[in-house]
Amino acid sequence: MRILFYILQKEFTQIFRNKGMLPIIFVLPLVQMLILVFAATFEIKRVDMVVVDQDHSSSARQLIDRIRANKLFVINAFPASATEAEKMIQAGKTDLALVIPHDFDKKATLRQNAELQILVDAINGNAAQLGSTYLTSIVNDFNRDLQLRQSRANQPRPAVIVAEPSFWFNAELNYRHYMAPGILVVLITVVGMFLGGMNLVREKELGTIEQINVTPIRKWQFIAGKLLPFLLLGLFELSFGLLIAKLVFGLPIRGSLPLLFLIASVYLVLVLSIGLYISTESDTQQQVTFVSYFMMMIFILLSGLFTPVESMPVWAQRIDYFNPLYYFVRVMRSVILKGSGLQEVIWEFAALAGFATLMFSLAIFRYRKTT
Amino acid sequence: MNRFKAFVKKEFLHIIRDRRTLVILFGIPIVQLLLFGYALTNEVRNVKVAVADYAKDELSQRITQQISVSPWFNLVQTVDNPNDYEALLRSGKVKEIIVFEPGFSRKLTHDGKASVQLLTDASEPNTAQLLVNYTTAIIQSNNMQEAQKAASIEVKTRMLYNESMKESYNFIPGLMAMILMLISAMMTAITITREKETGTMEILLASPLRPIQIILGKVAPYMVLSALNAIIIVGIGTTLFGVPIRGSLILLMLVVILFIFLALSLGIFISTVASSQMTAMSISGFGLMLPTILLSGFIFPIKNMPLPLQIVSNLMPPRWFIEINRMVMLKGADFTLVWKQILILMVMSAFFILLSMKKFKIRLE
């Protein structure tokens, strides 16, 4: 135990004397919470559009006023022709164009079928779909009002089924509350996988590992000495990040913090062991960075952090059984946002604990004192 | 010149003999393309839902049936106790509970109004919103009177540049930016810092090679690798995912080369600032990779961000690269439409090259 204590002392001294690393430790969570959480949103807040009004009638004007009243749409210009509007879309000056043909008013009042055209930049399919759907629904509302005004007979109101949604755990549909726990997972994964692994392989690169190999330090002590400082660092980053999230955008923490930190520790042991395992197999820090980056990228993309896991094909969902991030993102979200207790995240916890034991043993086993 | 050639050759051998790195260098773009192309989507499909039917009449059962056969929902269970709702949503077993009130269709015929409650797990706001939209659409399709009303204004929507709404159109330019950043900037920064950290920079500086030759020799292999990767991405994108190249291929390639050049100059700049590989990795990881993914419009549209971030995104080189790329590849834009963005990229590269020349130390401290 004394030996482990000395190793830890050495590792901590090394980390804190590296002037380049200290600011990174503090700046990182700040940047993640203040920039990434605000940037990562699929919420469509603004659609730029142009209107090609060839009709100049009162109906056309009423329709345009109705679009103006909607906060989502910003009308940038009124080009003279559809070709000109298309050019503006090509140049990226606007997202969408509504073409009102010259006979719009006449047809609409004579109850013939009037036709409107929407041109939309569909490179971002999601946004395009949303923009055109909203615009279509505005037109439909307009249409209904027009019909109501035209129908002379006062018909009885038709029976309707109303859907009443209620949003649980996040009533305002706050995207930041949703993203912050996930981004925190990325933060501590980076600390675990990269910093731990690079630290070990650095000893190899500089040759100082030889000096350790000839001491009575045992294999597990060496690996534990590399693991513990970064485990503490990771937990520190997690608490710092949670604090910022709480202060800056009022992230509600509904579940138990001790439970969260317990699972986070197990998760950190797992990712640190993966990082250390990679570094026992590598010779240079560049290799470690590369392999870790490669794995992390796959883990992050498949974890459900940005896109829902249920929508993925079955093979991708199978891969997720071996994805530490998948489990931990779920744990973070349900404990923080839904206030889940241990029994609700027991499977995720068990999986993380199992993989952590496995990878830690593997890292010790693969580390050789002999060359 | 001969010396320089030998040096470049040495650097190439360094990379080529490191099999693992080489495999990953080419594996990254391919794996990412496949993941983005086949696995990741923002749509919701097969979301687990539960039904609590307190009416059990013909109409409520018909709506339940419609929901269970739709592609968006996977009806996994029925509940009959309101006390179970919270546990179900909290455990994540279902994402939405659809509740029919007692006497559902009777209320509809007598009172002219009946309601269905949709309880959703909004800890995922995007999914929750979509679920509510889809369920509401299904429920309202049963409002017969609504359906009979023929719309006299017809809206025709044309999806420009991406008729079939493929997601691959959106991500390929961004993916290219990300991979080029990774290889050209991050790897270059680390490889030059490595010479400093292991002390071999001293040997190089004492050699007859001039500093500029050392740097050029170091970045040459990464330049070639980046260009190869760019070609692979465009190749897979066009053949496998059918992404068109509507503009001029030559213009596209010139822009790619310009961006590689910019990324290399960023990498060199980072290496002059960082003293250890870990620092270089952290700076390029958080200063370059994260903004490339998040602040460039690659995944998240810039327009939806708060204003300060929109301003910051102007300083991100990949933002401009992705913009040019989308315009040239997908919208068939020519030089006259993208010269401004190209100019910005050029100014940025000049800035970083000048800065690194000023910072590069030929003497040891």
Side-chain angles (χ1 to χ4, degrees), chain A residues 48 89-90 95 114 116 118 120 147 162 164 166 178 202 205 281 286-287 297 310-311 338, chain B residues 18 20 32 43 90 95 114 116 118 120-121 123 150 154 156 158 160 194 197 222 277 303 331:
Chain A
D48 287 285
I89 295 177
Q90 187 188 33
D95 306 317
L116 291 173
I118 296 175
V120 52
Q147 283 178 332
V162 194
E164 293 171 351
S166 65
Y178 168 61
R202 184 166 188 263
E205 236 175 13
E281 299 275 358
Q286 196 180 12
Q287 279 180 345
M297 174 208 84
E310 293 90 353
S311 311
K338 301 202 230 170
Chain B
D18 184 355
R20 201 173 331 167
Q32 282 196 330
E43 294 162 25
R90 173 169 293 154
K95 293 265 155 92
V116 183
L118 310 175
T120 50
D121 172 359
S123 63
E154 203 181 334
K156 284 200 173 153
R158 251 182 70 205
L160 298 177
R194 178 161 195 253
E197 195 173 359
Y222 292 99
Q277 294 180 67
K303 217 178 259 186
K331 296 188 182 175

Side-chain angles (χ1 to χ4, degrees), chain B residues 88-152:
Chain B
L88 261 179
L89 287 175
R90 173 169 293 154
S91 63
K93 282 196 191 107
V94 300
K95 293 265 155 92
E96 185 183 54
I97 304 175
I98 301 154
V99 186
F100 295 97
E101 55 184 348
F104 178 65
S105 38
R106 205 189 48 220
K107 276 195 180 164
L108 187 67
T109 42
H110 285 230
D111 309 346
K113 190 187 159 198
S115 63
V116 183
Q117 280 193 317
L118 310 175
L119 313 177
T120 50
D121 172 359
S123 63
E124 289 178 42
N126 213 28
T127 309
Q129 186 77 65
L130 286 171
L131 280 180
V132 166
N133 289 351
Y134 291 143
T135 327
T136 310
I138 291 179
I139 292 170
Q140 283 180 346
S141 69
N142 288 284
N143 282 344
M144 290 303 286
Q145 279 84 355
E146 278 264 320
Q148 277 166 0
K149 244 192 255 168
S152 69

Side-chain angles (χ1 to χ4, degrees), chain B residues 165-334:
Chain B
M165 316 274 285
K166 285 191 193 155
E167 297 202 28
S168 45
Y169 281 47
N170 195 26
F171 69 72
I172 284 197
L175 205 55
M176 211 138 100
M178 188 163 124
I179 307 251
L180 295 183
M181 257 316 180
L182 174 75
I183 299 169
S184 310
M186 196 163 172
M187 290 298 123
T188 311
I190 291 181
T191 192
I192 299 180
T193 322
R194 178 161 195 253
E195 302 273 355
K196 284 210 244 171
E197 195 173 359
T198 49
T200 42
M201 193 54 141
E202 200 176 332
I203 302 170
L204 283 178
L205 285 174
S207 74
L209 281 169
R210 280 190 283 140
I212 183 87
Q213 288 177 322
I214 298 175
I215 298 295
L216 282 180
K218 281 260 150 211
V219 302
Y222 292 99
M223 206 155 159
V224 174
L225 283 173
S226 305
L228 277 179
N229 260 310
I231 292 170
I232 289 179
I233 299 173
V234 174
I236 294 184
T238 47
T239 52
L240 213 56
F241 297 111
V243 177
I245 299 177
R246 299 205 175 103
S248 130
L249 186 62
I250 297 171
L251 179 60
L252 184 68
M253 282 301 144
L254 285 177
V255 172
V256 168
I257 291 170
L258 174 62
F259 186 68
I260 293 177
F261 192 67
L262 171 57
L264 289 173
S265 63
L266 269 167
I268 296 169
F269 170 68
I270 291 172
S271 73
T272 60
V273 185
S275 54
S276 72
Q277 294 180 67
M278 211 189 274
T279 321
M281 195 282 293
S282 304
I283 297 179
S284 41
F286 297 105
L288 294 180
M289 292 315 295
L290 278 179
T292 307
I293 299 173
L294 290 155
L295 289 178
S296 64
F298 168 24
I299 301 180
F300 304 102
I302 294 170
K303 217 178 259 186
N304 299 337
M305 297 173 191
L307 189 66
L309 286 184
Q310 291 191 26
I311 296 170
V312 173
S313 80
N314 285 325
L315 302 174
M316 301 295 153
R319 183 214 156 133
W320 303 109
F321 175 69
I322 292 174
E323 214 171 292
I324 304 174
N325 220 325
R326 282 190 181 143
M327 283 171 75
V328 174
M329 254 175 100
L330 304 170
K331 296 188 182 175
D334 53 11

Side-chain angles (χ1 to χ4, degrees), chain A residues 197-213 222 226 279-280 282-290 371, chain B residues 14 18 21 187 189-200 218 222 275-281:
Chain A
M198 284 183 91
N199 186 294
L200 194 154
V201 91
R202 184 166 188 263
E203 303 245 15
K204 278 198 199 172
E205 236 175 13
L206 298 180
T208 45
I209 203 160
E210 299 267 327
Q211 292 162 17
I212 290 169
N213 283 347
F222 179 69
K226 288 286 173 204
S279 63
T280 54
S282 314
D283 303 312
T284 63
Q285 295 186 56
Q286 196 180 12
Q287 279 180 345
V288 174
T289 316
F290 235 12
T371 43
Chain B
H14 253 307
D18 184 355
T21 308
M187 290 298 123
I190 291 181
T191 192
I192 299 180
T193 322
R194 178 161 195 253
E195 302 273 355
K196 284 210 244 171
E197 195 173 359
T198 49
T200 42
K218 281 260 150 211
Y222 292 99
S275 54
S276 72
Q277 294 180 67
M278 211 189 274
T279 321
M281 195 282 293

Side-chain angles (χ1 to χ4, degrees), chain A residues 309-321, chain B residues 46:
Chain A
V309 175
E310 293 90 353
S311 311
M312 293 178 190
V314 176
W315 59 264
Q317 295 192 25
R318 293 249 165 81
I319 296 177
D320 265 337
Y321 290 133
Chain B
N46 294 325

